[in-house]
Amino acid sequence: CKDMYRVVKSITDGQKKFEKASAAGDHKRAAELLIKMINVDIGHRTIVPKARLDLARTYRHLKKHKEAKQEAELVIQADENSAEAYKILGQVLVDLEDYEAAVIKFNKAKELSQGQDREIEDELRKAEAALKQSKQKDYYKTLKVSRKATLKEIKKAYRELALIWHPDKHKGEEDKERAEKQFQLVAEAYEVLSDDEKRQKYDRGEDVFPNQGGGGGQQHHQGFGGNPFFRQGGQQFHFRFG
Protein backbone atom coordinates (compact mmCIF):
# COMPACT_ATOMS: atom_id res chain seq x y z
CA CYS A 1 0.00 0.00 0.00
CA LYS A 2 2.82 2.37 0.88
CA ASP A 3 4.52 1.63 -2.44
CA MET A 4 1.29 2.34 -4.32
CA TYR A 5 0.82 5.58 -2.37
CA ARG A 6 4.34 6.69 -3.29
CA VAL A 7 3.71 5.91 -6.97
CA VAL A 8 0.43 7.86 -7.01
CA LYS A 9 1.96 10.79 -5.12
CA SER A 10 5.00 10.86 -7.42
CA ILE A 11 2.79 10.93 -10.52
CA THR A 12 0.40 13.52 -9.05
CA ASP A 13 3.27 15.81 -8.06
CA GLY A 14 4.90 15.27 -11.44
CA GLN A 15 1.70 16.22 -13.26
CA LYS A 16 1.41 19.47 -11.30
CA LYS A 17 5.04 20.36 -11.99
CA PHE A 18 4.60 19.50 -15.68
CA GLU A 19 1.54 21.74 -15.99
CA LYS A 20 3.40 24.59 -14.28
CA ALA A 21 6.47 24.22 -16.53
CA SER A 22 4.32 23.95 -19.64
CA ALA A 23 2.29 27.04 -18.74
CA ALA A 24 5.56 28.94 -18.21
CA GLY A 25 6.79 27.88 -21.64
CA ASP A 26 9.62 25.80 -20.19
CA HIS A 27 9.05 22.89 -22.56
CA LYS A 28 12.44 21.32 -21.97
CA ARG A 29 11.69 21.00 -18.25
CA ALA A 30 8.15 19.83 -19.06
CA ALA A 31 9.53 17.02 -21.24
CA GLU A 32 11.93 15.92 -18.50
CA LEU A 33 9.08 15.74 -15.98
CA LEU A 34 6.89 13.71 -18.33
CA ILE A 35 9.67 11.20 -19.01
CA LYS A 36 10.15 10.83 -15.26
CA MET A 37 6.40 10.26 -14.79
CA ILE A 38 6.34 7.59 -17.51
CA ASN A 39 9.26 5.76 -15.91
CA VAL A 40 7.55 5.64 -12.51
CA ASP A 41 5.17 2.97 -13.81
CA ILE A 42 5.84 2.40 -17.51
CA GLY A 43 3.18 -0.29 -17.77
CA HIS A 44 0.31 1.83 -16.43
CA ARG A 45 -2.49 1.70 -19.02
CA THR A 46 -4.07 5.05 -18.12
CA ILE A 47 -1.29 7.33 -16.95
CA VAL A 48 1.39 6.40 -19.50
CA PRO A 49 -0.66 6.95 -22.70
CA LYS A 50 -1.80 10.37 -21.44
CA ALA A 51 1.76 11.29 -20.48
CA ARG A 52 3.03 10.16 -23.88
CA LEU A 53 0.46 12.34 -25.65
CA ASP A 54 1.52 15.30 -23.52
CA LEU A 55 5.14 14.45 -24.30
CA ALA A 56 4.41 14.34 -28.04
CA ARG A 57 2.81 17.81 -27.82
CA THR A 58 5.78 19.07 -25.80
CA TYR A 59 8.27 17.70 -28.32
CA ARG A 60 6.37 19.59 -31.04
CA HIS A 61 6.97 22.80 -29.10
CA LEU A 62 10.65 21.89 -28.97
CA LYS A 63 10.59 21.11 -32.72
CA LYS A 64 11.73 17.56 -31.95
CA HIS A 65 9.47 16.08 -34.60
CA LYS A 66 11.08 12.64 -34.72
CA GLU A 67 10.57 12.18 -30.98
CA ALA A 68 7.01 13.57 -31.12
CA LYS A 69 6.14 11.13 -33.91
CA GLN A 70 7.59 8.24 -31.92
CA GLU A 71 5.54 9.06 -28.81
CA ALA A 72 2.28 9.31 -30.77
CA GLU A 73 3.02 6.01 -32.51
CA LEU A 74 3.70 4.30 -29.16
CA VAL A 75 0.25 5.35 -27.97
CA ILE A 76 -1.32 3.98 -31.16
CA GLN A 77 0.52 0.68 -30.68
CA ALA A 78 -1.06 0.40 -27.23
CA ASP A 79 -4.47 1.73 -28.31
CA GLU A 80 -5.27 1.76 -32.02
CA ASN A 81 -8.54 3.56 -31.27
CA SER A 82 -6.91 6.71 -29.87
CA ALA A 83 -8.24 9.55 -32.01
CA GLU A 84 -6.07 12.02 -30.08
CA ALA A 85 -2.90 10.08 -30.93
CA TYR A 86 -3.78 10.04 -34.63
CA LYS A 87 -4.53 13.78 -34.48
CA ILE A 88 -1.16 14.57 -32.91
CA LEU A 89 0.59 12.27 -35.38
CA GLY A 90 -1.12 14.15 -38.21
CA GLN A 91 0.07 17.46 -36.76
CA VAL A 92 3.65 16.18 -36.56
CA LEU A 93 3.48 15.01 -40.18
CA VAL A 94 2.31 18.49 -41.21
CA ASP A 95 5.32 19.90 -39.34
CA LEU A 96 7.47 17.53 -41.40
CA GLU A 97 5.63 18.66 -44.58
CA ASP A 98 4.44 15.10 -45.27
CA TYR A 99 0.96 16.35 -46.09
CA GLU A 100 -0.28 13.22 -47.84
CA ALA A 101 0.46 11.05 -44.79
CA ALA A 102 -1.00 13.75 -42.52
CA VAL A 103 -4.31 13.68 -44.41
CA ILE A 104 -4.49 9.90 -43.90
CA LYS A 105 -3.90 10.22 -40.14
CA PHE A 106 -6.41 13.05 -39.74
CA ASN A 107 -9.02 11.04 -41.63
CA LYS A 108 -8.39 8.13 -39.26
CA ALA A 109 -8.74 10.48 -36.28
CA LYS A 110 -11.99 11.83 -37.77
CA GLU A 111 -13.31 8.29 -38.19
CA LEU A 112 -12.44 7.34 -34.61
CA SER A 113 -13.96 10.53 -33.18
CA GLN A 114 -17.06 10.00 -35.35
CA GLY A 115 -16.75 13.57 -36.61
CA GLN A 116 -17.35 15.03 -33.15
CA ASP A 117 -13.98 16.78 -32.79
CA ARG A 118 -13.97 20.17 -34.52
CA GLU A 119 -10.20 20.55 -34.14
CA ILE A 120 -9.64 17.35 -36.12
CA GLU A 121 -11.95 18.66 -38.86
CA ASP A 122 -10.01 21.94 -38.98
CA GLU A 123 -6.63 20.18 -39.02
CA LEU A 124 -7.81 17.88 -41.81
CA ARG A 125 -8.91 20.83 -43.96
CA LYS A 126 -5.59 22.58 -43.39
CA ALA A 127 -3.62 19.45 -44.29
CA GLU A 128 -5.69 18.96 -47.45
CA ALA A 129 -5.09 22.60 -48.40
CA ALA A 130 -1.36 22.24 -47.72
CA LEU A 131 -1.26 19.09 -49.87
CA LYS A 132 -2.97 20.95 -52.70
CA GLN A 133 -0.62 23.92 -52.34
CA SER A 134 2.45 21.67 -52.29
CA LYS A 135 1.53 20.56 -55.79
CA GLN A 136 1.07 24.16 -56.94
CA LYS A 137 2.64 27.43 -55.79
CA ASP A 138 3.84 27.34 -52.20
CA TYR A 139 4.06 30.95 -51.06
CA TYR A 140 5.58 29.97 -47.72
CA LYS A 141 8.44 28.20 -49.48
CA THR A 142 8.80 31.13 -51.87
CA LEU A 143 9.45 33.46 -48.92
CA LYS A 144 11.32 30.73 -47.02
CA VAL A 145 9.15 31.08 -43.91
CA SER A 146 7.16 28.57 -41.88
CA ARG A 147 3.39 28.26 -42.15
CA LYS A 148 3.18 29.80 -38.67
CA ALA A 149 5.31 32.83 -39.60
CA THR A 150 4.30 36.19 -38.13
CA LEU A 151 3.68 39.26 -40.27
CA LYS A 152 6.99 40.68 -39.03
CA GLU A 153 8.83 37.55 -40.20
CA ILE A 154 7.05 37.66 -43.56
CA LYS A 155 7.99 41.32 -44.10
CA LYS A 156 11.62 40.62 -43.19
CA ALA A 157 11.80 37.67 -45.60
CA TYR A 158 10.21 39.74 -48.37
CA ARG A 159 12.71 42.58 -47.95
CA GLU A 160 15.67 40.22 -48.09
CA LEU A 161 14.44 38.24 -51.09
CA ALA A 162 13.30 41.32 -53.02
CA LEU A 163 16.81 42.72 -52.68
CA ILE A 164 18.37 39.43 -53.79
CA TRP A 165 16.13 39.18 -56.87
CA HIS A 166 16.29 42.86 -57.82
CA PRO A 167 16.69 42.55 -61.63
CA ASP A 168 19.27 45.34 -61.76
CA LYS A 169 21.57 43.11 -59.71
CA HIS A 170 21.56 40.46 -62.43
CA LYS A 171 23.38 40.66 -65.75
CA GLY A 172 22.77 38.79 -68.96
CA GLU A 173 19.41 38.40 -70.67
CA GLU A 174 18.68 34.90 -69.35
CA ASP A 175 19.75 35.66 -65.77
CA LYS A 176 17.82 38.94 -65.75
CA GLU A 177 14.66 37.29 -67.05
CA ARG A 178 14.88 34.63 -64.33
CA ALA A 179 15.36 37.33 -61.69
CA GLU A 180 12.32 39.27 -62.92
CA LYS A 181 10.13 36.16 -62.72
CA GLN A 182 11.40 35.30 -59.25
CA PHE A 183 10.97 38.88 -58.06
CA GLN A 184 7.35 38.88 -59.24
CA LEU A 185 6.74 35.53 -57.50
CA VAL A 186 8.22 36.92 -54.26
CA ALA A 187 5.98 40.00 -54.58
CA GLU A 188 2.96 37.77 -55.25
CA ALA A 189 3.72 35.63 -52.19
CA TYR A 190 4.07 38.74 -50.04
CA GLU A 191 0.82 40.18 -51.38
CA VAL A 192 -1.03 37.07 -50.21
CA LEU A 193 0.71 36.28 -46.93
CA SER A 194 0.80 39.87 -45.67
CA ASP A 195 -2.97 40.23 -46.09
CA ASP A 196 -4.98 38.44 -43.37
CA GLU A 197 -8.01 37.74 -45.56
CA LYS A 198 -5.99 36.47 -48.53
CA ARG A 199 -3.73 34.40 -46.30
CA GLN A 200 -6.70 32.72 -44.62
CA LYS A 201 -8.21 31.88 -48.01
CA TYR A 202 -4.86 30.54 -49.21
CA ASP A 203 -4.45 28.42 -46.06
CA ARG A 204 -7.90 26.94 -46.65
CA GLY A 205 -6.89 25.98 -50.19
CA GLU A 206 -9.22 28.50 -51.83
CA ASP A 207 -8.29 30.49 -54.94
CA VAL A 208 -6.90 33.83 -53.81
CA PHE A 209 -7.07 35.30 -57.32
CA PRO A 210 -10.13 33.50 -58.80
CA ASN A 211 -10.36 35.80 -61.82
CA GLN A 212 -6.78 35.02 -62.75
CA GLY A 213 -6.86 31.25 -62.49
CA GLY A 214 -4.90 31.24 -59.24
CA GLY A 215 -2.24 33.58 -60.59
CA GLY A 216 -0.77 36.60 -58.92
CA GLY A 217 -2.30 39.95 -58.22
CA GLN A 218 -1.79 43.16 -60.12
CA GLN A 219 -0.87 45.46 -57.24
CA HIS A 220 2.12 47.74 -57.54
CA HIS A 221 4.64 47.42 -54.76
CA GLN A 222 5.67 50.60 -52.97
CA GLY A 223 8.38 51.59 -50.55
CA PHE A 224 11.81 53.17 -50.18
CA GLY A 225 10.46 56.55 -51.23
CA GLY A 226 8.56 55.11 -54.17
CA ASN A 227 11.68 54.31 -56.17
CA PRO A 228 10.86 51.63 -58.76
CA PHE A 229 12.85 48.43 -58.85
CA PHE A 230 12.27 47.86 -62.52
CA ARG A 231 9.93 48.44 -65.42
CA GLN A 232 8.68 45.87 -67.87
CA GLY A 233 6.11 46.23 -70.58
CA GLY A 234 4.91 49.55 -69.18
CA GLN A 235 4.28 48.05 -65.74
CA GLN A 236 6.19 49.53 -62.83
CA PHE A 237 7.16 47.42 -59.83
CA HIS A 238 7.96 48.81 -56.39
CA PHE A 239 8.69 47.51 -52.94
CA ARG A 240 5.61 47.35 -50.74
CA PHE A 241 6.30 46.96 -47.03
CA GLY A 242 3.07 48.30 -45.62
Side-chain angles (χ1 to χ4, degrees), residues 2 14 24 29 39 51 60-61 65 70 80 108 110 125 141 153 155 185 189-190 193 217 221 224 226 228 234:
K2 287 183 179 179
R29 174 62 176 158
N39 289 332
R60 282 192 71 216
H61 283 297
H65 302 118
Q70 183 179 33
E80 61 183 15
K108 182 65 175 178
K110 179 181 177 181
R125 280 194 292 270
K141 282 190 176 180
E153 291 170 333
K155 286 182 177 181
L185 180 58
Y190 178 73
L193 299 185
H221 299 273
F224 291 167

Side-chain angles (χ1 to χ4, degrees), residues 1 16 27 32 45 51 70 76 80 83 87 103-104 113 121 139-140 151 176 189 218 220 223-224 242:
C1 290
K16 289 178 181 177
H27 300 298
E32 292 170 352
R45 294 185 178 182
Q70 183 179 33
I76 291 170
E80 61 183 15
K87 179 177 74 176
V103 168
I104 292 171
S113 66
E121 297 273 1
Y139 291 140
Y140 291 101
L151 180 58
K176 198 175 188 70
Q218 298 295 322
H220 296 278
F224 291 167

Side-chain angles (χ1 to χ4, degrees), residues 215-230:
Q218 298 295 322
Q219 292 188 18
H220 296 278
H221 299 273
Q222 303 173 355
F224 291 167
N227 294 322
F229 253 11
F230 68 94

